[in-house]
Amino acid sequence: LKVGNPEGYKSENIFELGEIEVDVKPTSLTSDTIVVEKVHINGPKISYEKTLKGSNLKDLQNNIKAFIQSLPGAGEEKIEGTPSDPASDKPAKKVIIEDFQIKGGTVYAGLMGVGLEVPLPSLSFENIGADDGPSFAEIGDQIFQEILNVVGPALQNSTEFLCDSGKAVIDTTQED
């Protein structure tokens, strides 16, 4: 599974998820809550690009939030006593992911044309959505937030390299 980079960034993809294993409880597919027993992602590649205007991860996050807000019924309050469409009264399916893991990943960190690849720490959590049963879109946003939470520390050790590389580019440019 590949997710393209938002417009304006150099890498073709922001995510390449490698090998994905998904197990779904079949009987839950016809219920109000879909139970995903496991999602295991092995060997994902994440591209993090920073520019003067922002980053590709932040732009993707904003795109996801805009998409969630564009879904039918998002942010709308029902007014009591008004006629409603029976089809729209049907609640959205909720999702629970019992076991979610990301292992063996890498993050490419790019800063204005200079970059390096660093290992992504493993990510593992259980029972996403068990408390409030969010929709598929909300689950996607939660998972994206968790990925952002591990990308930052993974890149923290690489900032010194990026600074040194950036200085080397400036020095070389000045010499030329």
Side-chain angles (χ1 to χ4, degrees), residues 4 11 47 82 86 88 104 106 124 141 145 147 159-160 164 169:
S11 299
S47 173
T82 58
S88 67
T106 58
S124 176
D141 189 46
Q145 284 298 330
I147 290 170
T159 55
E160 185 177 305
D164 291 346
V169 169

Side-chain angles (χ1 to χ4, degrees), residues 140-159:
D141 189 46
Q142 286 179 7
I143 290 171
F144 187 72
Q145 284 298 330
E146 292 296 328
I147 290 170
L148 285 178
N149 290 341
V150 297
V151 166
L155 297 177
Q156 190 171 15
N157 294 333
S158 66
T159 55

Side-chain angles (χ1 to χ4, degrees), residues 2 19 32-33 38-39 42 50 60 62-63 69 78 100 117-118 125 135 152 157 171 173 175:
K2 295 178 181 181
E19 178 184 315
D32 291 338
T33 302
K38 80 173 181 181
V39 175
N42 296 310
K50 183 90 173 122
L60 180 63
N62 290 338
N63 291 347
Q69 289 301 312
K78 290 198 174 200
F100 183 92
E117 199 167 88
V118 296
F125 46 98
S135 67
N157 294 333
D171 291 347
T173 305
E175 288 174 11

Side-chain angles (χ1 to χ4, degrees), residues 74-93:
E76 294 178 8
E77 290 185 32
K78 290 198 174 200
I79 300 171
E80 210 172 304
T82 58
S84 62
D85 177 8
S88 67
D89 286 345
K90 192 175 183 180
K93 289 217 181 231

Side-chain angles (χ1 to χ4, degrees), residues 16 18 30-31 40 48 51 55 61 63 76 105 108 118 122 126 130 132 138 151 157 160 168 173:
E16 293 182 31
T30 57
S31 72
H40 291 182
Y48 172 71
T51 66
S55 75
Q61 184 180 29
N63 291 347
E76 294 178 8
Y108 169 80
V118 296
S122 294
E126 297 176 344
D132 55 358
E138 292 165 331
V151 166
N157 294 333
E160 185 177 305
T173 305

